[in-house]
Amino acid sequence: MVGASLGTGVEALWGTCVERLGERFDVLGWEVPGHGSGAPATAAFSIEELAGRVVAGVDEICGPRQFRYAGDSLGGAVGLVLLVDHADRVSGATLACTSARFSAPRMWHERAALVRAEGTEAVVKGSRERWFSPGFADREPAAVEALIESLRAVDDESYALACEALAEFDIRDRLGKIDRPFALIAGRDDVATPIADAQRIVNGAPGAQLTILDDVAHLAPIEAPDRVAAILTKV
């Protein structure tokens, strides 16, 4: 099961990486409400509720079985909750470019208000700057534009509610409950969830096996699909 970042559809973010997995896995993707093919949100939600929906989705499609999980940013936060609250269901996890506590709540509430007033177009420029490492847009312009278009297509209210969910998310004092190894990826060029955020997860959850990827910012699955796929298959 793979999960995407705020503002991205799961296929646009994970499709290239999933192609590298060959026939080793049956891969399912879940969408943040109002993102990609996901239905718009009709009420506020939390990161913990999203984790519960992931488990329910696996149950509905595959039955009550264990699954591997991979997520980026918001999707990675959902993965941390899965490892804490649904550990019996997760057989392995790869969490990229994420944090146990994202930026100050005020920033998220301000961004939610901005998108409610002006739509997701208002955050395109900033997202383009944060998401990609220097030079990636020149090397992979089609991938960049696909992700930017997925941002433009996100339901405005759903994006705002996701920002508010991230404002409330804080699992730092529960990381010690994770009692198994899992892969943690940080991008050396990531300013949204910098290496220091990954190190705090390692400090709280000693089973985290941190890999720092050069020439990667905030969207590791699209910036380094070969390297991410290789890490994912070893978990």
Side-chain angles (χ1 to χ4, degrees), residues 134-158:
F136 182 75
D138 295 329
R139 297 192 301 274
E140 299 288 347
V144 168
E145 290 312 310
L147 282 158
I148 294 300
E149 287 307 309
S150 80
L151 172 58
R152 289 190 169 110
V154 171
D155 173 66
D156 296 340
E157 179 62 14
S158 298

Side-chain angles (χ1 to χ4, degrees), residues 11-200:
E11 185 173 353
L13 179 58
W14 279 98
T16 305
C17 183
V18 167
E19 290 175 358
R20 270 59 172 180
L21 300 177
E23 299 181 355
R24 290 194 59 182
F25 302 98
D26 294 320
V27 182
L28 302 174
W30 69 272
E31 300 281 20
V32 179
H35 291 56
S37 60
T42 57
F45 55 85
S46 67
I47 302 300
E48 288 76 11
E49 287 171 337
L50 292 180
R53 294 182 195 180
V54 169
V55 173
V58 171
D59 288 350
E60 181 179 350
I61 297 170
C62 305
R65 57 183 293 182
Q66 285 195 319
F67 58 93
R68 294 193 185 200
Y69 182 83
D72 186 277
S73 190
L74 184 155
V78 167
L80 288 172
V81 175
L82 289 171
L83 288 169
V84 171
D85 290 341
H86 306 276
D88 60 320
R89 300 298 304 277
V90 181
S91 61
T94 300
L95 311 181
C97 307
T98 196
S99 181
R101 173 62 164 166
F102 290 83
S103 303
R106 178 178 177 180
M107 183 279 288
W108 291 113
H109 289 298
E110 289 175 349
R111 192 187 299 185
L114 175 64
V115 169
R116 285 190 173 107
E118 301 181 22
T120 57
E121 186 65 38
V123 296
V124 165
K125 182 177 183 294
S127 297
R128 190 188 291 272
E129 293 170 350
R130 289 189 303 274
W131 282 357
F132 308 109
S133 59
F136 182 75
D138 295 329
R139 297 192 301 274
E140 299 288 347
V144 168
E145 290 312 310
L147 282 158
I148 294 300
E149 287 307 309
S150 80
L151 172 58
R152 289 190 169 110
V154 171
D155 173 66
D156 296 340
E157 179 62 14
S158 298
Y159 185 101
L161 290 170
C163 287
E164 291 167 349
L166 289 170
E168 298 302 317
F169 177 69
D170 188 351
I171 202 171
R172 288 175 295 182
D173 63 353
R174 303 178 69 203
L175 291 173
K177 295 184 178 181
I178 302 176
D179 61 358
R180 67 184 64 191
F182 64 97
L184 184 64
I185 297 171
R188 194 171 298 279
D189 298 328
D190 190 357
V191 297
T193 51
I195 294 171
D197 284 16
Q199 191 58 56
R200 291 187 189 100

